[in-house]
Amino acid sequence: MVTRREIRVLDTPDALFRAAAEEFGRRASAAVQQHGRFCVALSGGSTPRSLYRLLASGAIPSLPWQKTLIFWGDERHVPPDHADSNYRMVQEALLSRVALPSENVFRIKAENPDAAGAALDYEKILTECFRLKPGQFPSFDLILLGTGTEGHTASLFPDSAALAERQRLVVSNWVEKLHTDRITFTLPVLNHAACVMFLVSGRDKAAIVHELLNPNQNAGQLPAQMVQPIDGELLWFLDKDAAGT
Ligand code: 6PG
């Protein structure tokens, strides 16, 4: 069950990203202290770019980059230098600006024309990094997530096949509305995290945030509502615009 649920509303986007950076730093230091490394899965899209830039700026001096392992919760089906690539966004905003060993960066190889093959490849990486036995799921110290205006998270979109996946770790997922494949963590991986942090900013997200945080309206069936860590913390970091206040 969710061990701790917290909704934090910050006055401005700057305050939001600063609070998120401080939380990121706390989790990183605690993870390194507890088990010698910090395994974090980053989200893509545009919102988290400001957080990644802030982390790269040295705002959290204590960040143990040498012991941080970077993963992605999802990736578009494009090469790493494509404008839509989540890897490229993180590379430009963060990785190119911090002293993080390249062997600690685990990119989804989405240039593979076979999206299902890219997903299988990433599953192998997770299995190796977390020394998983068959049927086990990795427990990330932190998974960052966002949400779309229709309630998707990572690349788990409403009514998409991947949403029902309960065995696999990473799958390719055809997204009809975007007419493209994505590669994404499955819900069990998200829900095995020690901590999931949703980071949502902007007035355009106010309606979906209200819907997501008031599940009685649709019985909690939107993808972002289905993220309920089995034995972990669920954090929603919002600015006032996204919170609709
Ligand atoms: C992606 C993300 C996705 C994102 C939401 C919100 O690959 O696009 O992983 O799940 O978090 O689409 O995106 P914005 O933050 O850009 O609104």
Side-chain angles (χ1 to χ4, degrees), residues 43-48 74 76 86 145-148 152-155 182 205:
S43 63
S46 55
T47 301
D74 72 321
R76 288 79 181 280
N86 288 335
L145 292 174
T147 181
H152 84 262
T153 194
S155 285
R182 290 280 189 96
K205 299 287 178 69

PDB file of all heavy atoms in Angstrom, residues 43-48 74 76 86 145-148 152-155 182 205, ligand 1:
ATOM      1  N   SER A  43      11.460  11.319 -16.106  1.00  0.00           N
ATOM      2  CA  SER A  43      10.344  11.460 -17.047  1.00  0.00           C
ATOM      3  C   SER A  43      10.771  12.396 -18.168  1.00  0.00           C
ATOM      4  O   SER A  43      11.748  13.148 -18.051  1.00  0.00           O
ATOM      5  CB  SER A  43       9.110  12.014 -16.344  1.00  0.00           C
ATOM      6  OG  SER A  43       9.363  13.301 -15.862  1.00  0.00           O
ATOM      7  N   GLY A  44      10.018  12.353 -19.232  1.00  0.00           N
ATOM      8  CA  GLY A  44      10.328  13.164 -20.409  1.00  0.00           C
ATOM      9  C   GLY A  44       9.315  14.283 -20.541  1.00  0.00           C
ATOM     10  O   GLY A  44       8.776  14.773 -19.550  1.00  0.00           O
ATOM     11  N   GLY A  45       9.091  14.667 -21.789  1.00  0.00           N
ATOM     12  CA  GLY A  45       8.183  15.797 -22.008  1.00  0.00           C
ATOM     13  C   GLY A  45       8.911  17.104 -21.739  1.00  0.00           C
ATOM     14  O   GLY A  45      10.140  17.168 -21.737  1.00  0.00           O
ATOM     15  N   SER A  46       8.141  18.147 -21.450  1.00  0.00           N
ATOM     16  CA  SER A  46       8.773  19.468 -21.273  1.00  0.00           C
ATOM     17  C   SER A  46       8.844  19.939 -19.818  1.00  0.00           C
ATOM     18  O   SER A  46       9.789  20.605 -19.424  1.00  0.00           O
ATOM     19  CB  SER A  46       8.012  20.505 -22.108  1.00  0.00           C
ATOM     20  OG  SER A  46       6.635  20.462 -21.751  1.00  0.00           O
ATOM     21  N   THR A  47       7.855  19.547 -19.006  1.00  0.00           N
ATOM     22  CA  THR A  47       7.847  20.062 -17.628  1.00  0.00           C
ATOM     23  C   THR A  47       9.155  19.809 -16.878  1.00  0.00           C
ATOM     24  O   THR A  47       9.715  20.747 -16.299  1.00  0.00           O
ATOM     25  CB  THR A  47       6.666  19.468 -16.835  1.00  0.00           C
ATOM     26  OG1 THR A  47       5.451  19.800 -17.494  1.00  0.00           O
ATOM     27  CG2 THR A  47       6.643  19.971 -15.397  1.00  0.00           C
ATOM     28  N   PRO A  48       9.679  18.593 -16.887  1.00  0.00           N
ATOM     29  CA  PRO A  48      10.827  18.326 -16.015  1.00  0.00           C
ATOM     30  C   PRO A  48      12.129  18.998 -16.484  1.00  0.00           C
ATOM     31  O   PRO A  48      13.110  19.042 -15.733  1.00  0.00           O
ATOM     32  CB  PRO A  48      10.964  16.807 -16.016  1.00  0.00           C
ATOM     33  CG  PRO A  48      10.305  16.351 -17.258  1.00  0.00           C
ATOM     34  CD  PRO A  48       9.268  17.365 -17.605  1.00  0.00           C
ATOM     35  N   ASP A  74      10.195   6.223 -19.858  1.00  0.00           N
ATOM     36  CA  ASP A  74       9.646   5.970 -21.188  1.00  0.00           C
ATOM     37  C   ASP A  74      10.454   6.734 -22.224  1.00  0.00           C
ATOM     38  O   ASP A  74      11.262   7.612 -21.885  1.00  0.00           O
ATOM     39  CB  ASP A  74       8.160   6.338 -21.270  1.00  0.00           C
ATOM     40  CG  ASP A  74       7.925   7.842 -21.249  1.00  0.00           C
ATOM     41  OD1 ASP A  74       8.615   8.551 -20.511  1.00  0.00           O
ATOM     42  OD2 ASP A  74       7.046   8.306 -21.989  1.00  0.00           O
ATOM     43  N   ARG A  76      10.253   8.055 -26.589  1.00  0.00           N
ATOM     44  CA  ARG A  76       9.577   8.077 -27.883  1.00  0.00           C
ATOM     45  C   ARG A  76      10.350   7.157 -28.820  1.00  0.00           C
ATOM     46  O   ARG A  76      11.535   6.903 -28.623  1.00  0.00           O
ATOM     47  CB  ARG A  76       9.563   9.506 -28.423  1.00  0.00           C
ATOM     48  CG  ARG A  76       8.600  10.445 -27.685  1.00  0.00           C
ATOM     49  CD  ARG A  76       9.162  10.936 -26.356  1.00  0.00           C
ATOM     50  NE  ARG A  76       8.286  11.813 -25.618  1.00  0.00           N
ATOM     51  CZ  ARG A  76       8.122  13.102 -25.862  1.00  0.00           C
ATOM     52  NH1 ARG A  76       8.758  13.649 -26.849  1.00  0.00           N
ATOM     53  NH2 ARG A  76       7.301  13.845 -25.127  1.00  0.00           N
ATOM     54  N   ASN A  86      13.404  11.883 -25.367  1.00  0.00           N
ATOM     55  CA  ASN A  86      13.528  12.204 -23.942  1.00  0.00           C
ATOM     56  C   ASN A  86      14.989  12.124 -23.492  1.00  0.00           C
ATOM     57  O   ASN A  86      15.430  12.888 -22.631  1.00  0.00           O
ATOM     58  CB  ASN A  86      12.672  11.261 -23.087  1.00  0.00           C
ATOM     59  CG  ASN A  86      11.185  11.545 -23.231  1.00  0.00           C
ATOM     60  OD1 ASN A  86      10.788  12.661 -23.573  1.00  0.00           O
ATOM     61  ND2 ASN A  86      10.361  10.543 -22.991  1.00  0.00           N
ATOM     62  N   LEU A 145       7.521  11.312 -12.680  1.00  0.00           N
ATOM     63  CA  LEU A 145       6.455  11.168 -13.672  1.00  0.00           C
ATOM     64  C   LEU A 145       5.791  12.521 -13.924  1.00  0.00           C
ATOM     65  O   LEU A 145       5.822  13.417 -13.070  1.00  0.00           O
ATOM     66  CB  LEU A 145       5.390  10.170 -13.192  1.00  0.00           C
ATOM     67  CG  LEU A 145       5.804   8.697 -13.090  1.00  0.00           C
ATOM     68  CD1 LEU A 145       4.682   7.884 -12.460  1.00  0.00           C
ATOM     69  CD2 LEU A 145       6.191   8.134 -14.452  1.00  0.00           C
ATOM     70  N   GLY A 146       5.182  12.629 -15.091  1.00  0.00           N
ATOM     71  CA  GLY A 146       4.316  13.765 -15.380  1.00  0.00           C
ATOM     72  C   GLY A 146       2.962  13.184 -15.753  1.00  0.00           C
ATOM     73  O   GLY A 146       2.744  11.969 -15.666  1.00  0.00           O
ATOM     74  N   THR A 147       2.058  14.041 -16.169  1.00  0.00           N
ATOM     75  CA  THR A 147       0.795  13.536 -16.694  1.00  0.00           C
ATOM     76  C   THR A 147       0.355  14.391 -17.870  1.00  0.00           C
ATOM     77  O   THR A 147       0.617  15.605 -17.910  1.00  0.00           O
ATOM     78  CB  THR A 147      -0.323  13.511 -15.629  1.00  0.00           C
ATOM     79  OG1 THR A 147      -1.524  12.977 -16.222  1.00  0.00           O
ATOM     80  CG2 THR A 147      -0.619  14.920 -15.096  1.00  0.00           C
ATOM     81  N   GLY A 148      -0.262  13.753 -18.819  1.00  0.00           N
ATOM     82  CA  GLY A 148      -0.833  14.492 -19.933  1.00  0.00           C
ATOM     83  C   GLY A 148      -2.223  14.984 -19.546  1.00  0.00           C
ATOM     84  O   GLY A 148      -2.755  14.608 -18.498  1.00  0.00           O
ATOM     85  N   HIS A 152      -2.573  10.385 -19.058  1.00  0.00           N
ATOM     86  CA  HIS A 152      -1.503   9.401 -19.282  1.00  0.00           C
ATOM     87  C   HIS A 152      -0.318   9.736 -18.384  1.00  0.00           C
ATOM     88  O   HIS A 152      -0.139  10.873 -17.953  1.00  0.00           O
ATOM     89  CB  HIS A 152      -1.097   9.331 -20.758  1.00  0.00           C
ATOM     90  CG  HIS A 152      -0.100  10.360 -21.196  1.00  0.00           C
ATOM     91  ND1 HIS A 152      -0.437  11.533 -21.828  1.00  0.00           N
ATOM     92  CD2 HIS A 152       1.244  10.371 -21.098  1.00  0.00           C
ATOM     93  CE1 HIS A 152       0.643  12.219 -22.106  1.00  0.00           C
ATOM     94  NE2 HIS A 152       1.689  11.542 -21.657  1.00  0.00           N
ATOM     95  N   THR A 153       0.497   8.717 -18.140  1.00  0.00           N
ATOM     96  CA  THR A 153       1.770   8.927 -17.451  1.00  0.00           C
ATOM     97  C   THR A 153       2.791   7.954 -18.007  1.00  0.00           C
ATOM     98  O   THR A 153       2.415   6.892 -18.506  1.00  0.00           O
ATOM     99  CB  THR A 153       1.626   8.786 -15.923  1.00  0.00           C
ATOM    100  OG1 THR A 153       2.790   9.313 -15.279  1.00  0.00           O
ATOM    101  CG2 THR A 153       1.390   7.338 -15.515  1.00  0.00           C
ATOM    102  N   ALA A 154       4.055   8.327 -17.963  1.00  0.00           N
ATOM    103  CA  ALA A 154       5.083   7.638 -18.751  1.00  0.00           C
ATOM    104  C   ALA A 154       4.499   7.552 -20.163  1.00  0.00           C
ATOM    105  O   ALA A 154       4.027   8.577 -20.677  1.00  0.00           O
ATOM    106  CB  ALA A 154       5.435   6.292 -18.146  1.00  0.00           C
ATOM    107  N   SER A 155       4.497   6.357 -20.774  1.00  0.00           N
ATOM    108  CA  SER A 155       3.765   6.270 -22.056  1.00  0.00           C
ATOM    109  C   SER A 155       2.621   5.284 -21.940  1.00  0.00           C
ATOM    110  O   SER A 155       2.311   4.517 -22.865  1.00  0.00           O
ATOM    111  CB  SER A 155       4.720   5.899 -23.198  1.00  0.00           C
ATOM    112  OG  SER A 155       5.512   7.025 -23.563  1.00  0.00           O
ATOM    113  N   ARG A 182       5.520   3.868 -28.555  1.00  0.00           N
ATOM    114  CA  ARG A 182       6.364   4.400 -27.494  1.00  0.00           C
ATOM    115  C   ARG A 182       6.993   3.194 -26.806  1.00  0.00           C
ATOM    116  O   ARG A 182       6.522   2.060 -26.960  1.00  0.00           O
ATOM    117  CB  ARG A 182       5.516   5.186 -26.470  1.00  0.00           C
ATOM    118  CG  ARG A 182       4.940   6.522 -26.965  1.00  0.00           C
ATOM    119  CD  ARG A 182       5.976   7.610 -26.917  1.00  0.00           C
ATOM    120  NE  ARG A 182       5.447   8.942 -27.171  1.00  0.00           N
ATOM    121  CZ  ARG A 182       5.088   9.799 -26.208  1.00  0.00           C
ATOM    122  NH1 ARG A 182       5.126   9.419 -24.942  1.00  0.00           N
ATOM    123  NH2 ARG A 182       4.672  11.012 -26.522  1.00  0.00           N
ATOM    124  N   LYS A 205      -3.053  21.996 -16.983  1.00  0.00           N
ATOM    125  CA  LYS A 205      -3.157  20.682 -16.306  1.00  0.00           C
ATOM    126  C   LYS A 205      -4.144  20.714 -15.133  1.00  0.00           C
ATOM    127  O   LYS A 205      -4.371  19.697 -14.481  1.00  0.00           O
ATOM    128  CB  LYS A 205      -1.770  20.265 -15.773  1.00  0.00           C
ATOM    129  CG  LYS A 205      -0.709  20.093 -16.851  1.00  0.00           C
ATOM    130  CD  LYS A 205      -0.931  18.835 -17.667  1.00  0.00           C
ATOM    131  CE  LYS A 205       0.100  18.687 -18.770  1.00  0.00           C
ATOM    132  NZ  LYS A 205       1.461  18.407 -18.325  1.00  0.00           N
TER     133      LYS A 205
HETATM  134  C1  6PG B   1       6.755  11.837 -22.337  1.00  0.00           C
HETATM  135  C2  6PG B   1       6.571  11.791 -20.852  1.00  0.00           C
HETATM  136  C3  6PG B   1       5.121  11.953 -20.555  1.00  0.00           C
HETATM  137  C4  6PG B   1       5.004  13.312 -19.914  1.00  0.00           C
HETATM  138  C5  6PG B   1       3.620  13.845 -20.063  1.00  0.00           C
HETATM  139  C6  6PG B   1       3.571  15.311 -19.612  1.00  0.00           C
HETATM  140  O1  6PG B   1       7.499  11.033 -22.888  1.00  0.00           O
HETATM  141  O2  6PG B   1       6.157  12.759 -22.919  1.00  0.00           O
HETATM  142  O3  6PG B   1       7.179  10.821 -20.214  1.00  0.00           O
HETATM  143  O4  6PG B   1       4.531  11.003 -19.753  1.00  0.00           O
HETATM  144  O5  6PG B   1       5.368  13.236 -18.544  1.00  0.00           O
HETATM  145  O6  6PG B   1       3.272  13.764 -21.433  1.00  0.00           O
HETATM  146  O7  6PG B   1       4.393  16.033 -20.480  1.00  0.00           O
HETATM  147  P1  6PG B   1       4.650  17.592 -20.226  1.00  0.00           P
HETATM  148  O8  6PG B   1       5.364  17.671 -18.928  1.00  0.00           O
HETATM  149  O9  6PG B   1       5.496  18.012 -21.378  1.00  0.00           O
HETATM  150  O10 6PG B   1       3.308  18.243 -20.188  1.00  0.00           O
END
